[in-house]
Amino acid sequence: MNKPKNKYPFRNPPLPYSYDALEPFIDTKTMKIHHDKLLQGYVDKLNAVLADYPLYWNWSLQKLLANSALLPAQIQTQVHNYAGGVFNHVFYFNGMTPAQQKWSNTKLEGLLSKGSMGLDMLKSSLKEAALSVFGSGYAWLVKDKNGVFKILTTANQDTPISLNAVPLLNIDVWEHAYFLKHYGNRGEYIDDFFNVVNWDLVERRIENA
Ligand code: MN3
């Protein structure tokens, strides 16, 4: 799993798999553009905004996102959007892996069932939420501040961190995440996404939440 160096200047961590590793579900060209151009753009813009504000060079992405109200007013919106863009994309890319053929869902089912959620319910609720996002955004599985599993959606580059929730899995439903392969068919993209979810990592995220 790749974690960005978690303070200024932020870096774009390499994908934890090759660009073509998620074929045929997520295509190579989409992964290249998504990682090398779009995520890189958020990293560059975030660094450019913070360059004149050394006071915040030691802040992690999470701290920037959770405390954006403490930043100078003139950079709050930009930091919220760019830091969110970095966090959301790294989280999304890490959350995928080449098909886990030998993966056994017993442990994950156990963890989920403690929160009254099964894997099938998780998938169908996440899909429903992802389809419901109007315009650009994400659907998420999170643990809320009371420790309850929740499915939620965020617009643009908003994050669950600002909502005090612990993110466990996200799906990017901006059109750039699927348009080259799936065109306007977001539902097919979501079904394909479920073939490449890194469920081992979701388990670990739940255990650490
Ligand atoms: Mn994206």
Side-chain angles (χ1 to χ4, degrees), residues 34 38 42 89 92-93 138 157 172-174 176-177:
H34 207 170
L38 297 170
Y42 283 115
H89 279 107
Y92 167 70
F93 292 141
Y138 295 78
Q157 296 299 355
D172 186 340
V173 293
W174 285 58
H176 64 235

Side-chain angles (χ1 to χ4, degrees), residues 2 4 14 70 78-79 81 94 105 115-116 129 136 139 147 153-154 164-166 172 174 176 182 185 191 196:
N2 288 306
L70 302 178
Q78 286 170 306
V79 169
N81 289 335
N94 282 339
N105 65 12
S116 308
S136 298
T153 64
T154 52
N164 249 329
V166 181
D172 186 340
W174 285 58
H176 64 235
H182 301 91
N185 198 332
D191 291 339
V196 292

Side-chain angles (χ1 to χ4, degrees), residues 113-133:
S113 68
K114 284 187 205 159
S116 308
M117 177 150 341
L119 188 55
D120 288 339
M121 192 209 277
L122 189 173
K123 286 184 184 173
S124 62
S125 307
L126 194 66
K127 180 174 182 179
E128 193 182 336
L131 285 170
S132 79
V133 174

